[in-house]
Amino acid sequence: MSVLFQQKNTGTYEQATGEGFYPVFRKYDWDGIRTSIYEKTTSDVYRALSCKKRSLEDFKALISPAAKPFLEQMARESMRITRQRFGKTIQMYAPMYLSNECQNICTYCGFSLTNKIPRRTLTNNEILREADFLKQKGYDHILLVTGEANRTVGVSYLKNAIKLIRPYFSNISIEVQPLETEEYNALIAEGLYAVLVYQETYHEECYKIHHPKGKKSNFKYRLHTPDRLGQAEIHKTGLGALFGLEDWRTDSFFTALHLRYLQKKYWKTRYSISFPRLRPHSGGLEPKVVMTDTDLAQLIFAYRLLDEDVELSLSTRESMAFRDNMIKLGVNSISAESKTNPGGYVVDPKSLEQFEICDERTTEEIAGMIRRKGYEVVWKDWEKGY
Amino acid sequence: MQSNTLTIAGTEFTSRLFIGTGKFSSASLMNKAVLASGSELATVALKRVNPEDQTEDIHTALQKTGIRLLPNTSGVRTAKEAVFAAQLAREALETNWIKLEIHPDPKYLLPDPVETLLATEKLVKLGFVVMPYIHADPVLCKRLEEVGAQCVMPLGAPIGSNKGLKTLDFLEIIVEQSSVPVIVDAGIGSPSHAAAAMEMGADAVLVNTAIAVSDNPIAMAEAFKLAVRAGRTAYTARLAPVKTGAEASSPLTSFLSENQ
């Protein structure tokens, strides 16, 4: 069904049609958006900080270089909003890599088809051994990750994996290749809760350069994945850009635009944002654009000021010091003790990682740190069926 | 410069003030007030339309103004009655636009959300442009969008009460979430209420009682015209920021400089 298009005003952005996000996305010119972000002034930032409801124009101001002197104010407001919405709680999750087989060439990824690494896909028994390890650590929210290899880790494999581990975990998410709506429906019926699908970059030409081969090279198909998830009425969709490929500010604007579009159109779905920065890996790519810790903190604050409800997640890609400090300031979900290789917890700890993690503390250490900060560690926050 | 017109079902409106036509002391006065308001859309209760009467009939009088007429289903109590009324309106007024009002409650005339959703779905399938009058219920608004409503018309306060935007918190959520125009309907009792609704981001307002029962409906209609324009202009110009309070002294971000 086509939803009536309505230009709300000059300060907000156009909304959905029945054709998915791409027609909306195409109305925005990358260079023009980039320039408008970098031209934001101190008074734009003042306004954005003072608003009751913030628009995407305010978001631009908050991620602009002009906002750098206001980082402390942004942090304070981000902390206030996060506490009001989520209380003093942090949700814990762990990734579980099921396979490193992949038919794509991605210039920045260790699983890329051209990387001559041993490929491995976990068997039923191996999946259960990994699940058992994470369950004993206390995890109830698990994120299943694979490369993009439809023949070996297609829907039937994922369906089986979810069925296998469903008795162990209340909350099962996936970060795998984009699927069709009916395929998501089938996985949701097995107990799937959330799907994370990062666009990597919203710069269409740059995207093509970094994804020269494989199904992932289809920019539009990937861009429409959250639309298909919305149509499947998934409980939660995770968005994000991979920082390092292109200008992080412009990519973040498009992520926020995507978020707003989805929130209006698929209003029954929850949304989360993650902030992956390029990390070292086998056959590594040097980041084109460096995003500093200060930049990342500014972005997290900006998202929280834009949207008090969106879940903000920090992975173990980030340093111990950064994660410890950011816990109070805007994020509400973190992973710990992550292994980014299939079977990395117990089955085959030495298999090749997708990327190196930075915060290598154990789950117990991180949970202890969260508690010492006066926060509750939340392991379970969802139950299928109600 | 982007257009500042309001579009509903492909029709553009330059005025964001819609006007109701009940309670005027005469059809002539109503006409003058409608013209003074600058409105391009007037609702008319189908139950008051009398195609046989060529003298004081409200419909005939309004036609002289050239304003677009929006029949409403005021008086119906169920979805079934509403669909029937809409079909009658389409025949009588030769328009497929309908303001859907279903209020089984005769005292406060509060809209029935269940019947309204059912009727909207049915009427959209029958080819109507449906503009549903509803309580300020954000979830209902999204459900109405999904079944094809061309706008939503949440109330600010009970019909005819002139109490203003008593549902402000919910109207703000509706404006934030809506993909279709939001027209604040019912309860607006003064031009300042209308301006506040427009400043908040409503796409239009619908006013009747506040104009019709004032001592000078023509002057009041003009006052509403100006207030709606002012509110809309303020919204598009973006209101100046409210000053923030004092700041605490202990920094939260000092770890960042140590970390670079």
Side-chain angles (χ1 to χ4, degrees):
Chain A
M1 184 198 72
S2 173
V3 175
L4 177 71
F5 170 83
Q6 175 68 17
Q7 179 74 41
K8 298 290 286 185
N9 62 66
T10 53
T12 58
Y13 289 84
E14 296 162 330
Q15 296 308 319
T17 66
E19 298 160 3
F21 181 57
Y22 193 66
V24 177
F25 167 78
R26 290 287 291 169
K27 291 175 194 251
Y28 297 88
D29 163 61
W30 177 280
D31 291 335
I33 292 293
R34 186 178 188 281
T35 302
S36 71
I37 293 170
Y38 281 81
E39 285 178 349
K40 289 290 179 192
T41 63
T42 299
S43 62
D44 293 325
V45 181
Y46 269 126
R47 176 188 294 281
L49 281 168
S50 314
C51 284
K52 193 172 158 193
K53 295 273 181 189
R54 297 181 177 93
S55 66
L56 286 177
E57 212 52 50
D58 296 318
F59 182 74
K60 278 185 189 171
L62 294 172
I63 59 174
S64 73
K68 283 195 166 186
F70 297 89
L71 210 58
E72 185 64 21
Q73 281 168 260
M74 289 174 67
R76 203 169 291 128
E77 182 65 0
S78 176
M79 182 170 77
R80 185 191 69 76
I81 297 170
T82 309
R83 278 200 190 164
Q84 184 178 339
R85 168 62 183 82
F86 296 95
K88 295 174 86 170
T89 66
I90 293 289
Q91 295 205 34
M92 296 283 285
Y93 73 95
M96 187 168 135
Y97 279 65
L98 298 179
S99 171
N100 61 6
E101 294 192 55
C102 192
Q103 298 302 314
N104 292 313
I105 296 177
C106 303
T107 58
Y108 50 82
C109 180
F111 291 174
S112 189
L113 180 66
T114 48
N115 283 352
K116 300 300 172 198
I117 58 166
R119 303 288 172 168
R120 158 158 223 163
T121 296
L122 300 188
T123 63
N124 284 357
N125 184 265
E126 289 169 339
I127 291 171
L128 288 171
R129 284 173 65 198
E130 294 280 290
D132 196 43
F133 174 87
L134 289 169
K135 189 67 190 174
Q136 283 180 29
K137 285 278 181 182
Y139 290 101
D140 201 53
H141 178 183
I142 206 82
L143 172 65
L144 303 180
V145 188
T146 68
E148 296 197 7
N150 270 313
R151 284 186 200 141
T152 44
V153 284
V155 177
S156 58
Y157 179 88
L158 294 168
K159 204 169 163 183
N160 175 63
I162 292 169
K163 208 171 192 170
L164 271 177
I165 64 167
R166 183 77 186 93
Y168 290 76
F169 304 106
S170 301
N171 193 322
I172 300 170
S173 305
I174 58 172
E175 187 183 335
V176 304
Q177 68 274 30
L179 301 172
E180 294 294 329
T181 303
E182 52 273 25
E183 293 175 321
Y184 286 128
N185 281 330
L187 297 181
I188 290 167
E190 289 298 339
L192 177 66
Y193 169 74
V195 176
L196 278 54
V197 57
Y198 307 135
Q199 188 57 32
E200 316 299 12
T201 177
Y202 286 83
H203 191 301
E204 198 166 356
E205 289 73 38
C206 171
Y207 181 93
K208 284 170 188 160
I209 293 166
H210 288 292
H211 307 93
K213 190 173 184 306
K215 202 172 177 184
K216 195 171 175 179
S217 61
N218 188 336
F219 176 87
K220 192 173 166 186
Y221 185 73
R222 193 169 186 88
L223 193 73
H224 277 173
T225 308
D227 277 292
R228 295 193 297 279
L229 286 163
Q231 285 153 15
E233 297 197 355
I234 188 82
H235 291 273
K236 190 172 83 178
T237 295
L239 306 173
L242 177 59
F243 299 120
L245 300 181
E246 260 302 334
D247 177 64
W248 67 264
R249 292 184 167 91
T250 314
D251 256 331
S252 297
F253 167 82
F254 280 104
T255 310
L257 177 72
H258 205 169
L259 173 70
R260 283 260 159 127
Y261 157 87
L262 292 165
Q263 284 174 324
K264 281 203 175 185
K265 189 160 186 190
Y266 308 105
W267 56 281
K268 292 175 192 166
T269 296
R270 301 186 64 81
Y271 296 93
S272 67
I273 303 281
S274 299
F275 309 92
R277 289 191 281 184
L278 263 181
R279 297 282 305 156
H281 66 91
S282 174
L285 173 85
E286 281 299 309
K288 175 181 172 184
V289 179
V290 173
M291 184 190 209
T292 66
D293 280 1
T294 304
D295 294 336
L296 180 53
Q298 181 184 353
L299 179 61
I300 290 171
F301 302 152
Y303 269 119
R304 181 56 73 220
L305 266 61
L306 176 72
D307 191 321
E308 62 188 29
D309 289 318
V310 71
E311 292 186 26
L312 301 180
S313 186
L314 260 193
S315 77
T316 52
R317 287 173 185 252
E318 305 307 331
S319 70
M320 185 169 82
F322 187 78
R323 275 159 48 96
D324 287 6
N325 282 288
M326 290 304 292
I327 272 172
K328 285 185 172 180
L329 302 185
V331 299
N332 62 291
S333 165
I334 65 167
S335 55
E337 204 177 337
S338 303
K339 302 295 178 193
T340 68
N341 45 339
Y345 295 105
V346 285
V347 171
D348 187 3
K350 291 185 178 164
S351 67
L352 198 70
E353 297 168 321
Q354 187 187 28
F355 55 86
E356 290 174 19
I357 65 168
C358 190
D359 184 351
E360 295 187 327
R361 286 173 294 176
T362 64
T363 301
E364 295 78 6
E365 286 171 327
I366 290 176
M369 175 273 294
I370 293 169
R371 290 191 187 102
R372 283 193 297 281
K373 285 181 178 290
Y375 279 59
E376 181 192 359
V377 181
V378 176
W379 302 96
K380 180 178 187 296
D381 194 29
W382 191 69
E383 184 59 55
K384 187 173 186 280
Y386 65 88
Chain B
M1 186 70 183
Q2 288 171 303
S3 162
N4 197 24
T5 57
L6 170 63
T7 304
I8 299 174
T11 301
E12 286 198 0
F13 296 92
T14 54
S15 167
R16 290 170 181 269
L17 172 60
F18 296 162
I19 195 161
T21 53
K23 301 184 184 176
F24 284 94
S25 57
S26 70
S28 153
L29 183 62
M30 176 193 70
N31 267 10
K32 288 173 184 161
V34 167
L35 290 171
S37 74
S39 177
E40 295 159 324
L41 186 74
T43 63
V44 51
L46 183 69
K47 63 187 179 183
R48 290 190 63 193
V49 172
N50 183 1
E52 310 300 317
D53 187 343
Q54 298 296 309
T55 53
E56 272 295 287
D57 173 61
I58 188 172
H59 171 214
T60 311
L62 281 167
Q63 279 183 322
K64 291 176 189 165
T65 66
I67 196 170
R68 187 182 187 99
L69 295 187
L70 174 64
N72 70 45
T73 61
S74 178
V76 309
R77 292 163 300 170
T78 65
K80 192 177 174 186
E81 289 175 4
V83 171
F84 180 65
Q87 287 169 322
L88 283 180
R90 183 155 63 180
E91 290 296 317
L93 301 182
E94 296 178 340
T95 175
N96 65 337
W97 286 44
I98 192 79
K99 184 188 173 205
L100 182 61
E101 292 186 23
I102 304 178
H103 26 67
D105 152 34
K107 187 176 180 188
Y108 292 107
L109 304 178
L110 292 170
D112 182 326
V114 177
E115 296 294 314
T116 302
L117 183 61
L118 290 170
T120 301
E121 189 167 20
K122 175 78 174 166
L123 288 167
V124 168
K125 285 178 182 162
L126 291 171
F128 284 90
V129 172
V130 184
M131 303 172 69
Y133 166 61
I134 48 169
H135 209 289
D137 179 338
V139 172
L140 179 61
C141 286
K142 296 307 285 185
R143 297 289 299 267
L144 287 164
E145 261 182 40
E146 286 179 340
V147 298
Q150 296 281 4
C151 69
V152 287
M153 304 184 76
L155 57 80
I159 289 180
S161 69
N162 290 340
K163 288 181 176 176
L165 305 179
K166 294 298 177 191
T167 58
L168 181 64
D169 287 353
F170 303 101
L171 290 172
E172 284 179 340
I173 295 170
I174 291 167
V175 166
E176 180 188 332
Q177 295 184 340
S178 184
S179 298
V180 295
V182 177
I183 301 161
V184 177
D185 183 10
I188 291 178
S190 68
S192 60
H193 295 154
M198 299 306 295
E199 281 178 13
M200 181 264 293
D203 295 283
V205 295
L206 194 150
V207 182
N208 183 6
T209 302
I211 294 173
V213 306
S214 74
D215 284 355
N216 186 340
I218 299 167
M220 189 57 78
E222 185 169 14
F224 269 99
K225 174 174 77 176
L226 297 172
V228 169
R229 268 193 209 158
R232 179 64 188 179
T233 306
Y235 177 64
T236 53
R238 304 188 71 207
L239 296 167
V242 177
K243 189 180 180 301
T244 48
E247 309 272 324
S249 56
S250 57
L252 299 169
T253 53
S254 54
F255 71 98
L256 289 167
S257 50
E258 293 157 14
N259 221 14
Q260 296 300 297

